[in-house]
Amino acid sequence: MDKMDRYLKEVLRMTFLRREEKAEWREEMRTHIDCSVEEQVSDGFSREDALELTLRQFGDPGMLRRDLTRQTYGVSIDVLLPVSVLFLGWYAYAAAEELQVHFSGQGIGVVPLTLLAGTLSLLLTRKTADRWAVLLTLLPFGLVFGLQKLQVPGALSWYYGVLLGDRWGSYSGYAGIMFLLGLLIFLKTQNGRIASLPLLLPVLYSAHQLPGRISNYMYHLQYSSPNEHEMYYMAVTYQLDSLLIRTFVWVVFLLALRYFTQFVHHRRINKAGS
């Protein structure tokens, strides 16, 4: 690997760009470097000295990496990664606390989980509209959690339906709203991964609650009566049902986006052919 390849590899390291995007950036930077080297050689420099001078003029790879990721995601990766690690640590601590008290039922871990999912979703963004869409997907969940904390009448039922509920009846209304929100986001951004976030978050919430329910069941299995065992076992099965239902809705949404995209694509081809 020559000096230019090492330089470009360092620039693109830890950018989390797609493979084709990395290839495009590498080719573009290589073209600029080659042109600059040729100019330096025509001025009398040796090719090795010309390359050294050109790379020095291009600047520090870390600085270029920050500029590149800021152009792509709207925020530097040097900011995005530390914030993600912070939210991940916060979530791990909150989840461990809930398991320690055998599922307190407070849903504390869903706050850092939501923030972590939103932050990592920025890695899927490429346009300003995508970034606004990420914010839009987080607002309803923050609103439900905030209203519940403020003890607004009726908010508690929405809170349990979205965050902790294990029945279809408690989740169906919110699922319908989030389904429509996802469709609107997709029509605006054409980004299916971002558009599916409103329905993915409830899946993550249910998955987050499941270890606590299992821990609760295992704890009481040792210290409770057989009748109580059945009750805690049913809590686990209800949580599994919740996870399956929410996953099913999320998958249906993804399939709907896929078939809609194929329909629009074929329609454009037919229109162009006619």
Side-chain angles (χ1 to χ4, degrees), residues 226-241:
N227 289 336
E228 291 177 315
H229 295 171
E230 181 68 19
M231 179 181 66
Y232 291 113
Y233 173 77
M234 291 301 295
V236 174
T237 59
Y238 287 152
Q239 195 63 43
L240 281 171
D241 289 343

Side-chain angles (χ1 to χ4, degrees), residues 126-244:
R126 295 297 182 272
K127 300 178 294 185
T128 301
D130 293 342
R131 297 165 201 142
W132 280 107
V134 171
L135 178 61
L136 182 61
T137 61
L138 300 184
L139 285 179
F141 299 97
L143 181 63
V144 168
F145 189 85
L147 292 178
Q148 183 272 147
K149 286 298 182 182
L150 294 174
Q151 299 182 349
V152 174
L156 187 62
S157 60
W158 279 92
Y159 171 77
Y160 276 95
V162 177
L163 304 183
L164 306 176
D166 51 20
R167 296 290 195 281
W168 169 247
S170 63
Y171 174 63
S172 57
Y174 208 87
I177 295 174
M178 293 299 98
F179 204 99
L180 292 176
L181 176 62
L183 290 177
L184 290 175
I185 290 174
F186 180 74
L187 291 175
K188 181 65 176 178
T189 65
Q190 299 300 307
N191 190 326
R193 296 176 181 177
I194 298 298
S196 68
L197 187 59
L199 290 167
L200 175 60
L201 279 172
V203 175
L204 298 179
Y205 296 153
S206 277
H208 161 79
Q209 298 297 328
L210 186 58
R213 294 286 175 94
I214 295 175
S215 173
N216 199 20
Y217 169 68
M218 298 300 295
Y219 175 80
H220 288 90
L221 191 62
Q222 304 176 34
Y223 304 106
S224 304
S225 64
N227 289 336
E228 291 177 315
H229 295 171
E230 181 68 19
M231 179 181 66
Y232 291 113
Y233 173 77
M234 291 301 295
V236 174
T237 59
Y238 287 152
Q239 195 63 43
L240 281 171
D241 289 343
S242 170
L243 181 58
L244 291 174

Side-chain angles (χ1 to χ4, degrees), residues 11 44 54 137 211 226 255 269:
V11 171
T54 297
T137 61
L255 291 175
I269 292 178

